[in-house]
């Protein structure tokens, strides 16, 4: 892949990160906010992989994005467990309605 | 031909991400996230990262997305909207997500994208002048790196996965004794 396509990968990663940020800021459902975080992590992975192609002997970017993926999977599991427990207690997952520490 | 496929996968990725942003139905945004993750996996293939593309599909599409769908299903609550006046994707069995501060969020994201693209247009990365990798696959390099240079993060992240597994199972338990 020639460098101009690598530049367009960087632009796609910037667009994905911005869309993920907009999802995190605007949406009120906790699971959709989690989806926005996943979008942002994917954008970061895309950026790392776009640079890692030019570093074939060490592949630092690809190994780092592998670690990012694993941390994202662990984060999603823990966050969804927390969301389910919150739903059991308060009967809502809309973030604006979660205003009390204790019911 | 290769370029057409490349830009088609870019369009798939961005359309999926925009659908996550624009739709109100949570299940629709989960399936649009599936499109985006598959598009990102295809872009990994174009960037010469075959092992990462396969692990993207296995981890995100096979693991995280199924978890997200389970989360949506387990936390849904029957809404009380009358079925006659709403459009098809917002019927009473749909799980809806409202939005708040739309203009602020979109303005912030557009400003971030504008700044980043200004930065990228003015930048010239010295790494992009390097010769490109000619290796047929990246698996052997990644395997050697994980066993030599990155052995400590590799072991730490295996412990992190174990802790996250046990912690998620404990947190999602039916009743936590005080």
């Amino acid at each position: 892949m020639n460098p101009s396509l690598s530049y367009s990968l960087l632009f796609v990663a910037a667009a994905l990160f911005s869309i993920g940020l907009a999802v995190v800021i605007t949406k009120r459902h906790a699971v959709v906010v989690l989806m926005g975080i996943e979008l942002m992590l994917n954008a970061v992975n895309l950026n790392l992989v776009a640079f890692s192609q030019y570093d074939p002997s060490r592949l630092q970017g690809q190994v780092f994005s592998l670690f990012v993926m694993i941390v994202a999977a662990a984060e999603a599991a823990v966050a969804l467990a927390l969301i389910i427990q919150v739903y059991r207690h308060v009967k809502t997952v809309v973030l604006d309605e979660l205003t009390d520490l204790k019911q | 031909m290769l370029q057409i496929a490349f830009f088609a996968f870019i369009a798939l990725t961005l359309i999926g991400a925009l659908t996550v942003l624009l739709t109100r139905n949570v299940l629709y945004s989960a399936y649009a996230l599936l499109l985006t993750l598959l598009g990102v996996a295809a872009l990994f293939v174009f960037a010469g990262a075959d092992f990462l593309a396969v692990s993207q599909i296995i981890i995100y599409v096979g693991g995280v997305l199924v978890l997200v769908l389970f989360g949506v299903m387990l936390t849904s609550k029957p809404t009380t909207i009358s079925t006659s006046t709403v459009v098809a994707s917002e019927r009473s069995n749909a799980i809806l997500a409202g939005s708040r501060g739309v203009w602020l969020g979109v303005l912030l994201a557009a400003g971030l994208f504008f700044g980043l693209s200004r930065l990228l247009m003015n930048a010239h990365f010295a790494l992009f002048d390097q010769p490109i990798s000619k290796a047929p696959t990246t698996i052997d390099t990644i395997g050697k790196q994980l066993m030599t240079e990155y052995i400590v993060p590799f072991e730490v992240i295996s412990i992190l996965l174990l802790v996250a597994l046990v912690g998620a199972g404990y947190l999602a338990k039916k009743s936590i004794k005080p």
Side-chain angles (χ1 to χ4, degrees), chain B residues 109-177:
Chain B
L112 179 70
F113 179 67
F114 181 71
L116 282 177
S117 48
R118 274 287 301 275
L119 196 73
L120 285 177
M121 266 187 267
N122 294 328
H124 177 264
F125 297 104
L127 196 63
F128 283 169
D129 298 333
Q130 302 281 323
I132 207 163
S133 145
K134 291 283 181 235
T137 174
T138 60
I139 295 177
D140 42 2
T141 315
I142 289 181
K144 275 174 204 152
Q145 289 289 90
L146 280 182
M147 279 297 122
T148 54
E149 194 175 350
Y150 295 98
I151 182 74
V152 178
F154 184 69
E155 297 296 336
V156 169
I157 212 145
S158 63
I159 296 175
L160 172 82
L161 266 183
L162 180 68
V163 170
L165 183 73
V166 175
Y170 177 72
L171 279 176
K173 223 168 42 173
K174 203 71 180 176
S175 65
I176 296 178
K177 294 273 182 294

Side-chain angles (χ1 to χ4, degrees), chain B residues 70-93:
Chain B
F70 265 106
V72 172
M73 303 287 181
L74 286 176
T75 58
S76 72
K77 143 173 94 173
T79 50
T80 52
I81 316 169
S82 65
T83 51
S84 55
T85 55
V86 290
V87 292
S89 68
E90 301 183 0
R91 290 228 180 87
S92 60
N93 60 349

Side-chain angles (χ1 to χ4, degrees), chain A residues 1 7-8 12 18-19 26-28 38 42 53-54 56 58 62 65 69 72 80 85 87-88 91 96, chain B residues 17 21 23 37 49 52 56 60 67 76-77 98-100 109 113 125 128 132-133 145 149 171-173:
Chain A
M1 197 163 69
Y7 271 107
S8 54
V12 173
S18 307
I19 293 171
T26 57
K27 295 290 181 178
R28 295 170 63 203
E38 300 292 337
N42 262 289
Q53 196 182 12
Y54 299 90
R58 292 182 70 200
Q62 292 193 17
S65 65
M69 256 183 219
L80 283 167
Q85 203 57 251
Y87 179 74
R88 253 184 221 140
K91 293 294 169 211
D96 285 352
Chain B
L21 180 60
T23 185
L37 297 177
L52 272 185
Q56 163 97 2
Y60 273 108
L67 264 181
S76 72
K77 143 173 94 173
S99 300
R100 130 185 66 83
F113 179 67
F125 297 104
F128 283 169
I132 207 163
S133 145
Q145 289 289 90
E149 194 175 350
L171 279 176
K173 223 168 42 173

Side-chain angles (χ1 to χ4, degrees), chain A residues 69, chain B residues 41 51-66:
Chain A
M69 256 183 219
Chain B
F51 178 70
L52 272 185
V54 175
S55 21
Q56 163 97 2
I57 291 177
I58 290 176
I59 294 177
Y60 273 108
V61 181
V64 172
L65 203 66
V66 173

